[in-house]
Amino acid sequence: MTYNFSRRINELKPSAIREILKVTQDPTVISFAAGNPSVETFPAKEMAEIAADMFANRAGDALQYGVTEGYNPLRDVTAKRLREKYNVGTDNDDLIIVTGGQQGMDLTAKAFLNEDDVIICENPSFIGSLNCFRSYKAKLVGIPLEFDGMDMNVLEETLKQEKNVKLIYVIPTFQNPTGRVMSLEKRRQLLEIAKKYDVMIIEDNPYFELRYSGEYVPTIKSMDTEGRVIYVGSYSKILSPGIRLGFVCAPKEVISKLTVGKQVSDVHTNLFFQMLAAEFLTKYDLDAHIEKIRDIYRAKRDAMVKAMDANFGGMMTYEIPDGGLFMWGKLDDSLDGAELCKLSGKMGVVPVPGSSFLVNDKETSPCVRFNFSLPTFEQIDRGMELMGQALKEYTAK
Ligand SMILES: Cc1ncc(COP(=O)(O)O)c(C=O)c1O
């Protein structure tokens, strides 16, 4: 039987990370590949109590269909916190609950991108989003990512040259994969440039509350006076990713289009977990919970830095991120991160090659991404010892 699939799906490759993760099913392999939070950060006990009460007293509501925009108490508590704590959202905005931030990107792409429209992305960027934009057959244009965010000169040149640019996609705080933060000055510049060329911005911000050092930088959305920024947030990294709860805060007109898009996609986000999260957020102190997560990850980041210092011996440089879940390592420009990962995989330690995050995924990259939230302290130490050996072998070739 020959299956005649669409071009949209035929041209999509499986995420390189998902493929790498198959290798890490082997319990003897140390994985620095996944972007998963640590299970010890999940408020499982509190959730179990709320779930028991929900089944006992509100099963009818929780197991019923819900509305597409989301469960109102969760929308309200989310919008209120964003507005009061981070100045995100205005009277012209609305908020929709989505099935993870990933669906926020998908619905935005569905609402804005016709085939061959241009979406500008940081290069490197998050694979899940790049693949989402590819699935709409958009043209992805990558802008080099500097230590303080996108190269604004290249961005402006690109906007002068490219026709039909609809969206600029950025992860300004603790970027995936690099962990970098866009400076305040570049955030302002980005808004100005987007205004000049009349392009919308997607601000994808799932990591910004996981800050372990340095100063808070305001969101781009909080500086937007025109309704140009679509803000995508997520409960994945501050509650749990398995509950699949994210949100989009954007102008009402945009949210109503996303709502229509979602109706034909999954009708609404899982109501049981929306109700559960709403109750958790009302009953417990989310900020205190996030503070605990920060303490855990700060210690893991520091452990990874120490282990890299001890084992890398100048063969790979690395950036110490102020937050997020990743460290970004770089070999000499003439070397290939993918080759290093192949070799380290054979030795029992698996990071992700930087080339997986490139807009043009046929290019090579001397970079490698390491996750520090999921491995244990022992795995970080042992894994970096093995990485050091792989580096020695690879750079001696
Ligand atoms: C930058 C970025 N955006 C969005 C997501 C999607 O997260 P979720 O769909 O779990 O909210 C991720 C997940 O790793 C991410 O790294």
Side-chain angles (χ1 to χ4, degrees), residues 68-69 96-107 232-236 241-248 262 265-271 274:
T68 304
E69 290 84 346
I96 182 172
I97 302 293
V98 286
T99 303
Q102 179 74 40
Q103 191 183 45
M105 257 67 76
D106 185 55
L107 296 176
V232 181
S234 175
Y235 284 114
S236 285
I243 61 177
R244 305 306 302 128
L245 293 178
F247 43 91
V248 182
K262 187 170 166 65
S265 173
D266 63 354
V267 184
H268 64 78
T269 296
N270 182 304
L271 183 57
Q274 288 193 72

Side-chain angles (χ1 to χ4, degrees), residues 70-326:
Y71 178 60
N72 273 331
L74 181 62
R75 291 174 77 198
D76 292 346
V77 71
T78 305
K80 186 166 182 286
R81 183 165 183 273
L82 278 180
R83 193 150 173 178
E84 289 177 358
K85 204 167 157 71
Y86 299 112
N87 194 26
V88 164
T90 66
D91 289 344
N92 291 324
D93 285 327
D94 203 351
L95 183 138
I96 182 172
I97 302 293
V98 286
T99 303
Q102 179 74 40
Q103 191 183 45
M105 257 67 76
D106 185 55
L107 296 176
T108 306
K110 196 195 251 187
F112 281 92
L113 295 175
N114 291 317
E115 197 168 322
D116 298 326
D117 279 347
V118 174
I119 177 159
I120 291 179
C121 307
E122 294 159 321
N123 197 26
S125 187
F126 169 53
I127 300 181
S129 295
L130 298 182
N131 272 345
C132 160
F133 306 143
R134 287 175 183 132
S135 77
Y136 287 94
K137 300 202 60 57
K139 177 178 169 191
L140 278 63
V141 178
I143 305 292
L145 185 70
E146 300 178 309
F147 290 110
D148 61 349
M150 245 182 197
D151 183 327
M152 291 293 152
N153 295 324
V154 179
L155 173 65
E156 182 140 25
E157 280 311 308
T158 305
L159 283 162
K160 275 183 200 159
Q161 282 165 22
E162 291 285 349
K163 301 269 175 298
N164 301 329
V165 182
K166 286 278 185 67
L167 295 161
I168 303 172
Y169 170 69
V170 289
I171 311 160
T173 308
F174 313 134
Q175 204 248 10
N176 183 0
T178 61
R180 293 176 188 167
V181 176
M182 187 187 289
S183 66
L184 183 58
E185 198 191 328
K186 280 200 173 171
R187 290 173 194 231
R188 291 198 176 117
Q189 258 179 301
L190 176 62
L191 274 171
E192 270 170 37
I193 295 173
K195 179 177 180 179
K196 186 167 159 190
Y197 294 89
D198 195 18
V199 182
M200 295 290 290
I201 297 170
I202 306 177
E203 179 174 25
D204 182 14
N205 213 20
Y207 301 109
F208 83 117
E209 295 194 283
L210 300 181
R211 177 177 279 284
Y212 322 126
S213 51
E215 291 291 307
Y216 174 71
V217 186
T219 61
I220 302 169
K221 176 78 178 159
S222 68
M223 298 186 278
D224 172 26
T225 52
E226 299 183 291
R228 192 171 289 288
V229 179
I230 297 164
Y231 181 91
V232 181
S234 175
Y235 284 114
S236 285
K237 310 298 185 318
I238 52 174
L239 276 185
S240 132
I243 61 177
R244 305 306 302 128
L245 293 178
F247 43 91
V248 182
C249 175
K252 287 176 183 155
E253 217 178 311
V254 174
I255 294 296
S256 70
K257 293 292 184 206
L258 267 52
T259 306
V260 180
K262 187 170 166 65
Q263 266 158 12
V264 297
S265 173
D266 63 354
V267 184
H268 64 78
T269 296
N270 182 304
L271 183 57
F272 184 89
F273 273 116
Q274 288 193 72
M275 289 177 69
L276 195 154
E279 183 141 345
F280 179 89
L281 295 169
T282 330
K283 215 165 155 183
Y284 296 98
D285 182 348
L286 179 63
D287 292 334
H289 178 67
I290 293 173
E291 203 51 59
K292 275 194 251 164
I293 301 178
R294 283 193 190 126
D295 288 343
I296 294 170
Y297 291 164
R298 184 184 297 107
K300 289 199 169 187
R301 177 201 61 178
D302 293 347
M304 188 166 269
V305 171
K306 205 167 147 215
M308 284 179 165
D309 279 345
N311 293 289
F312 283 10
M315 293 174 288
M316 174 174 261
T317 57
Y318 39 90
E319 297 168 35
I320 304 175
D322 277 324
L325 305 183
F326 307 108

